[in-house]
């Protein structure tokens, strides 16, 4: 008999689509994959050298649960220099990817039945991880005119006596929206007043196209104390398969997460940790090149989308996604349950282009396109999108 919790868990839509694309390609079908949030860059060579050297030096034994000290020290330097927030190595916990970090936070802070607030649209795995830990995901409606960024009054309306946490993703997946300092201050002040912890998922913080990115924990010391920052190396250093994430939090929370992690994974792969260390120490130029490339691609894809009638999108300020509004297509589209799921299935079959249904993020009339791939692929994918939706307008 399987666990009761499995009845409420939905498999990852993005992983499922990616698997289908791989199967189609293996069968000889030419598919354009614009679904998965995976950089098309490789891990920088200098970072790889750190991993190779660690193996040559036989650094393959058990180490500290929170992560190797050298890497935690470099993360502290990075957070102080780039994010203007001061942490000590004991407040940094390395994990096997940002998903692992988020799970650690929820296990450390929530009890069964505690509510975790999720402003719509939200990354597909948040709600399922919350359910796995026996907490309750609570969606908060946001508005398109605000680029789907949470407003103070929307937050206040969602809070109950069971509210324990809120997840703020900045930059956003799927919209690419970036909160201003003033917007974050309004949200964080409510959380401070109401005693609500903040999970600040800043995994895309290096991939921003605006001059001033503000970390939640940098707002002030009181807000820092209730904030757990999630970050990692998958997006900024193209280390998706190496599975290396981290949290920055107060010492009490960090110690609790270490205690939990010690029984689940002990610590993330040492080889991955040394590669991450190399990325921080040696590869700033390579990571900046990736960001510059994403910014150029963002301009290319938005310029192309601007030429398509009867659609809209959220103008991205970071990450590498476009959240495309197909409300007018939906009006003339035949579907039974979910418009966006049916649309994405039909689009993949008809035009051999994989995108992610907005339903996965909580908003059904949208689709998400990733431009973390070569320009030719995403521009051709948009060409095929224009051709396909012309049948329904």
């Amino acid at each position: 008999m399987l666990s009761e919790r499995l009845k409420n868990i939905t498999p990852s839509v993005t992983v499922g689509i990616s698997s289908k694309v791989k199967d189609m390609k293996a069968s000889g079908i030419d598919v354009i994959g614009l679904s998965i949030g995976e950089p098309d860059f490789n891990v920088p060579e200098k970072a790889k050298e750190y991993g190779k050297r660690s193996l040559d030096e036989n650094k393959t034994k058990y180490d500290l649960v929170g992560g190797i000290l050298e890497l935690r020290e470099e993360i502290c330097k990075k957070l102080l220099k780039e994010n203007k927030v001061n942490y000590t190595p004991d407040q940094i916990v390395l994990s096997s990817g940002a998903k692992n970090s988020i799970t650690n936070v929820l296990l450390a802070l929530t009890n069964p039945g505690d509510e975790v607030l999720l402003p719509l649209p939200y990354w597909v795995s948040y709600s399922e991880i919350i359910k796995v830990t026996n907490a309750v995901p609570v969606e908060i409606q946001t508005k398109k005119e605000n680029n789907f960024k949470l407003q103070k009054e929307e937050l206040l309306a969602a809070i109950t006596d069971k509210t324990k946490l809120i997840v703020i993703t900045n930059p956003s997946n799927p919209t690419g929206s970036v909160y201003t300092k003033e917007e974050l201050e309004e949200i964080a002040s409510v959380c401070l007043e109401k005693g609500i912890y903040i999970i600040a998922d800043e995994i895309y913080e290096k991939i921003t196209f605006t001059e001033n990115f503000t970390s939640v924990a940098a707002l002030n010391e009181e807000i820092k104390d209730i904030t757990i920052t999630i970050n990692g190396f998958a997006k900024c250093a193209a280390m998706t398969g190496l599975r290396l994430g981290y949290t920055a939090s107060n010492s009490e929370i960090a110690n609790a997460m270490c205690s939990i992690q010690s029984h689940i994974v002990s610590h993330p792969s040492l080889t991955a940790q040394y590669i991450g260390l190399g990325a921080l120490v040696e590869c700033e130029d390579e990571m900046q090149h990736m960001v510059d490339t994403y910014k150029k691609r963002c301009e290319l894809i938005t310029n192309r989308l601007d030429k398509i009638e009867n659609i809209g999108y959220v103008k991205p300020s970071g990450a590498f996604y476009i959240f495309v509004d197909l409300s007018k297509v939906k009006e003339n589209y035949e579907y039974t349950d979910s418009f966006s799921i049916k649309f994405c299935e039909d689009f993949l079959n008809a035009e051999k282009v994989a995108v992610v249904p907005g339903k996965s993020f909580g908003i059904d009339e949208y689709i998400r396109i990733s431009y973390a791939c070569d320009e030719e692929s995403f521009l051709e994918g948009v060409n095929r999108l224009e051709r396909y939706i012309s049948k329904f307008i």
Side-chain angles (χ1 to χ4, degrees):
M1 183 70 70
L2 296 177
S3 165
E4 286 291 318
R5 66 168 58 87
L6 285 170
K7 295 179 180 179
N8 297 319
I9 304 301
T10 303
S12 171
V13 174
T14 52
V15 172
I17 294 170
S18 177
S19 298
K20 184 173 182 179
V21 168
K22 288 177 181 177
D23 289 342
M24 293 173 74
K25 287 183 177 180
S27 301
I29 301 172
D30 183 20
V31 182
I32 297 176
L34 305 180
S35 59
I36 197 162
E38 181 168 55
D40 60 329
F41 296 98
N42 292 316
V43 176
E45 291 299 322
K46 292 179 182 177
K48 287 191 225 175
E49 289 301 321
Y50 275 63
K52 294 173 185 176
R53 191 181 311 128
S54 74
L55 292 172
D56 290 338
E57 295 174 357
N58 294 312
K59 293 179 177 177
T60 56
K61 307 299 183 183
Y62 290 129
D63 211 296
L64 297 173
V65 171
I68 59 173
L69 182 59
E70 305 99 298
L71 179 51
R72 286 184 286 138
E73 288 175 338
E74 286 300 322
I75 289 171
C76 289
K77 292 176 185 177
K78 177 261 184 233
L79 291 170
L80 182 60
K81 178 183 176 182
E82 298 181 10
N83 303 90
K84 307 298 185 292
V85 59
N86 189 27
Y87 285 99
T88 54
D90 66 291
Q91 296 175 315
I92 308 299
V93 180
L94 275 298
S95 63
S96 298
K99 289 181 180 180
N100 187 184
S101 292
I102 293 166
T103 305
N104 284 344
V105 176
L106 291 166
L107 288 171
L109 290 180
T110 64
N111 294 309
D114 281 348
E115 294 178 350
V116 181
L117 303 181
L118 296 176
L120 287 163
Y122 54 80
W123 177 53
V124 296
S125 290
Y126 289 147
S127 60
E128 309 314 301
I129 295 173
I130 292 165
K131 293 173 191 174
V132 165
T133 59
N134 290 329
V136 179
V138 176
E139 297 178 347
I140 307 179
Q141 296 291 332
T142 59
K143 296 183 176 63
K144 179 182 177 181
E145 54 264 33
N146 296 322
N147 288 332
F148 294 113
K149 291 190 284 186
L150 179 66
Q151 305 298 298
K152 179 178 179 179
E153 60 274 13
E154 295 164 344
L155 171 57
L156 285 168
I159 294 171
T160 72
D161 58 359
K162 294 182 179 180
T163 303
K164 189 66 171 289
L165 273 163
I166 184 170
V167 181
I168 299 295
T169 317
N170 189 35
S172 167
N173 173 11
T175 67
S177 296
V178 176
Y179 284 88
T180 65
K181 180 181 179 181
E182 293 71 25
E183 289 169 334
L184 291 174
E185 285 174 334
E186 283 211 333
I187 294 169
S189 64
V190 172
C191 294
L192 195 60
E193 178 187 346
K194 302 292 185 179
I196 299 168
Y197 287 104
I198 302 169
I199 293 181
D201 188 344
E202 299 179 359
I203 190 74
Y204 294 97
E205 54 96 8
K206 272 188 174 287
I207 309 172
T208 53
F209 314 139
T210 56
E211 291 298 321
N212 298 309
F213 174 81
T214 301
S215 287
V216 175
L219 293 174
N220 64 49
E221 285 299 314
E222 286 185 301
I223 292 170
K224 174 188 171 187
D225 193 54
I226 62 168
T227 298
I228 306 92
T229 300
I230 307 290
N231 212 322
F233 296 83
K235 313 303 180 181
C236 66
M239 289 173 56
T240 50
L242 293 174
R243 312 309 304 135
L244 187 62
Y246 64 86
T247 56
S249 66
N250 70 42
S251 297
E252 182 183 20
I253 296 172
N255 288 337
M257 289 190 288
C258 278
S259 179
I260 289 166
Q261 182 164 282
S262 71
H263 295 292
I264 298 175
V265 297
S266 291
H267 57 70
S269 160
L270 288 186
T271 308
Q273 290 189 60
Y274 281 105
I275 294 172
L277 177 63
L280 284 183
V281 174
E282 302 277 1
C283 302
E284 183 59 38
D285 289 345
E286 289 88 341
M287 290 190 284
Q288 185 58 50
H289 170 68
M290 295 181 198
V291 175
D292 293 341
T293 302
Y294 295 135
K295 185 174 183 179
K296 177 185 175 185
R297 290 174 178 175
C298 182
E299 293 171 353
L300 285 172
I301 196 168
T302 53
N303 287 339
R304 178 64 185 89
L305 288 168
D306 286 340
K307 297 175 183 177
I308 303 178
E309 296 181 356
N310 298 307
I311 68 167
Y313 62 88
V314 179
K315 179 71 172 178
S317 297
F320 37 62
Y321 307 110
I322 298 282
F323 205 44
V324 180
D325 184 357
L326 298 181
S327 300
K328 293 185 179 179
V329 178
K330 183 180 179 182
E331 293 173 3
N332 302 305
Y333 208 87
E334 291 188 8
Y335 64 95
T336 303
D337 185 22
S338 165
F339 159 71
S340 61
I341 291 176
K342 182 68 163 56
F343 178 91
C344 290
E345 290 174 349
D346 293 347
F347 185 44
L348 178 58
N349 292 329
E351 297 288 349
K352 306 301 183 287
V353 179
V355 295
V356 183
K359 179 73 171 179
S360 305
F361 308 100
I363 301 183
D364 196 35
E365 61 268 25
Y366 281 73
I367 61 171
R368 191 196 74 178
I369 296 174
S370 169
Y371 53 89
C373 58
D374 65 276
E375 298 167 9
E376 182 179 352
S377 292
F378 67 71
L379 289 176
E380 174 58 24
V382 175
N383 288 341
R384 297 184 190 182
L385 176 66
E386 181 178 33
R387 181 171 65 198
Y388 184 70
I389 66 174
S390 66
K391 304 173 186 178
F392 308 100
I393 298 296

